[in-house]
Each structure stands twice: as structure tokens, then as C-alpha cells.
Amino acid sequence: MTTTVEHRRRRTGMFFVAPALIVLAAILFYPIVDSVLLALQRVQLAGGAVTQEWIGLGNFTRLFSDPVFWRAALNTAYFSVMEVILVTLISLGVALLLNHPFGRSGFFRILLIIPWAIAPVANAVLWKWILNANYGVLNALLKSLGVIDYNQVWLGTPFSALNFLLIVDVWKSVPFVALLMLAGLQRVPQSLYRAAYMDGAGPWQSFLNVTLPTMRGVIAIAIVLQTIWSLRVFDLVFVLTRGGPADATALLNFLAYRVTFNFLDLGYGSAIANVIFALTFVLAALYVWLLWPREIKGAR
């Protein structure tokens, strides 16, 4: 009887969810399929006409011999790994501070949300002014403190430019992830902390054995979201560096845009975009499998 009722509930739920699923399929499934089909063709816009030629996996094999693609792939790998690590660690630290009695004031939460609330392009323009070599606030501040003797071109060298893009994106991403983790912290039962205290655990032991295990699901969601966001960074590159200097900040997302809209090579641009999509899907699935809480066998 219970099984029959449960089946009816599921069928009813699917009936009500079906319209939303159909809309999502129309909005998401068609562009994905069309992008895959474009990636299997040589599609170029020249002289106001679109030429299409079916070449199978030709665009994907071309990726292996393209040094610009591999440079962008290495840039993206470094950027994404460092961003996920930094955002996760900093956000967890900020969430712990906000969960402390001293940090529970609404003022700190409002202050924290400001970077995230700024529009992406406005955020990029703001940092372009801050990092400007001639009149930037950062140069003026460091010179007044005696840290530097002359203005630095922060976006002028490959290593510096890529790392400043990383810093800017971390600054933008931390607020949302910190609030997500704060919500997870506030769901940890206080009884677990009391039990740990009774067992003689100190703050560090409580953090390792109570806080982190109970927050694995939240941390998994944060890492998945941040991985997806790090792989689709475009506005910062477009406004601050345009991929320079010497393609040092050309991430895969920006490269797909440049190949598609600047070089008008739609097929090759779609191939790069599909690589980003596949990479995002695989990493997200891997993170969820590794970090998502699992039921203990035999537990009820």
C-alpha cells in the first residue's frame, strides 16, 4: 500500500514538474545540440556569407596542434584551481568569523555582500581604474606607504596580469560563497559541539571532527559552483586585459569568444566551447561524487 501511494506521489510530482522540464529542455537542450553540430563542421563567415562544411572531429583534432589553445588551457587550469582553493578557504574563514558572536552584526554581512552585488562589468571597470599604471589607486597607496618608488604596470607582465585577474575574481566571489557556508554552519546542531566538549575536544578538534564533516554537502556545492564560475570568467578578461599581454590571460572562455566573433570561425569556436562544457560537467560530477555525504551502511 505504501509503495502504491509513493508511486502516485511521484507521478503527480512529475506531472507538475513536466512543464518546467519541457521549457528547460527547449532553452538548454537545443543550443547544446546545435553547438555540438557546429563543432563538427567548418563554419566560417566571410563576405557576408556563411560557408558550412562537415568535417567530423576535425575541429577537435585541430585543438591538439593549436599552441594558443594549450596556452589558454594552462591559464584556465591555473586560474580555476587557485580560485577554487582560495575562494573556498577564505569563504570558510569569513563564515566562521560571521558565525562568531562578535561577527553576527548585520553590518558585517551588508559590508560583505557589497563586492558580490556590484555588476560584473562595473566591477571590472572599477578594478581597471584601481590598477591603472598612471593614476591608479593601488600605485598611489603603495607609494604613499613607501612600499614602491615608482608606478607599477600591474597588468603589464604575464605573471602579474594573470594573478591580478585571480585576485579580482576572488574578491568578487568570496561574499556569496561565504554566506552559503554561513548558512551551512548555522545548521550544525549545537548538541554535537556539546558532546565533543564533553569528550574533551578543543576548538580545533571540534572544527575537524564536527564542523567539517557536517558541512561536506555545503562545501561540495560551493566547490561545484565556484568551478563552474571560474571556467566561465569572461568579463574581467575582456575589460582588463583582452587576453594580453601575449595571451597570458587568455582563458578558454575568452578564447572561444575571440575565435568565434573576432576571427569568425564559428565551428572552431564551438569546439572550444564544447570542451569547456565537457570539462565543467566532468569536474562537477567528480566533486559531487567525492564530497557529497554518504549514508553509512547499516544505519537507519
Side-chain angles (χ1 to χ4, degrees), residues 50-66:
V50 178
T51 59
Q52 294 180 263
E53 179 186 356
W54 188 268
I55 58 173
L57 298 176
N59 285 320
F60 293 98
T61 56
R62 177 181 167 188
L63 293 174
F64 292 100
S65 60
D66 186 354

Side-chain angles (χ1 to χ4, degrees), residues 217-234:
V218 176
I219 294 174
I221 292 172
I223 291 177
V224 169
L225 289 176
Q226 199 54 47
T227 300
I228 294 171
W229 293 336
S230 67
L231 290 173
R232 67 178 183 85
V233 168
F234 172 80

Side-chain angles (χ1 to χ4, degrees), residues 274-294:
N274 278 278
V275 168
I276 300 172
F277 172 76
L279 183 62
T280 303
F281 182 83
V282 170
L283 287 176
L286 180 63
Y287 286 148
V288 171
W289 181 75
L290 290 175
L291 295 173
W292 202 259
R294 293 173 174 82

Side-chain angles (χ1 to χ4, degrees), residues 123-141:
N123 172 62
V125 172
L126 172 66
W127 278 95
K128 188 174 184 178
W129 290 341
I130 293 174
L131 299 173
N132 188 276
N134 298 318
Y135 53 81
V137 175
L138 182 59
N139 274 324
L141 178 62

Side-chain angles (χ1 to χ4, degrees), residues 75-289:
N75 291 341
T76 303
Y78 171 79
F79 184 90
S80 298
V81 170
M82 292 301 299
E83 190 200 33
V84 170
I85 292 173
L86 290 174
V87 170
T88 303
L89 293 179
I90 294 173
S91 298
L92 182 58
V94 172
L96 289 170
L97 291 174
L98 291 177
N99 199 45
H100 191 274
F102 177 76
R104 289 178 182 173
S105 170
F107 170 76
F108 294 113
R109 302 184 187 190
I110 294 173
L111 190 65
L112 174 69
I113 207 70
I114 290 175
W116 181 74
I118 300 175
V121 175
N123 172 62
V125 172
L126 172 66
W127 278 95
K128 188 174 184 178
W129 290 341
I130 293 174
L131 299 173
N132 188 276
N134 298 318
Y135 53 81
V137 175
L138 182 59
N139 274 324
L141 178 62
L142 294 180
K143 285 176 68 176
S144 65
L145 295 174
V147 178
I148 58 175
D149 297 323
Y150 53 89
N151 287 357
Q152 302 290 320
V153 184
W154 303 111
L155 302 176
T157 61
F159 182 78
S160 175
L162 185 58
N163 281 283
F164 268 103
L165 281 182
L166 177 63
I167 292 171
V168 173
D169 204 53
V170 168
W171 181 82
K172 173 75 173 174
S173 303
V174 161
F176 177 82
V177 179
L179 291 179
L180 180 65
M181 291 192 176
L182 177 61
L185 279 173
Q186 293 176 343
R187 292 183 58 194
V188 179
Q190 293 300 311
S191 59
L192 296 179
Y193 290 113
R194 289 193 292 268
Y197 177 77
M198 294 298 293
D199 289 338
W204 180 244
Q205 288 77 15
S206 296
F207 174 74
L208 289 179
N209 299 304
V210 176
T211 304
L212 285 182
T214 53
M215 286 189 61
R216 285 184 65 180
V218 176
I219 294 174
I221 292 172
I223 291 177
V224 169
L225 289 176
Q226 199 54 47
T227 300
I228 294 171
W229 293 336
S230 67
L231 290 173
R232 67 178 183 85
V233 168
F234 172 80
D235 45 271
L236 291 179
V237 180
F238 185 82
V239 174
L240 290 177
T241 63
R242 294 295 180 98
D247 286 335
T249 60
L251 306 181
L252 285 177
N253 206 21
F254 179 79
L255 180 63
Y257 162 83
R258 188 171 68 182
V259 169
T260 303
F261 296 102
N262 289 357
F263 302 156
L264 301 179
D265 192 346
L266 279 65
Y268 191 49
S270 296
I272 298 173
N274 278 278
V275 168
I276 300 172
F277 172 76
L279 183 62
T280 303
F281 182 83
V282 170
L283 287 176
L286 180 63
Y287 286 148
V288 171
W289 181 75

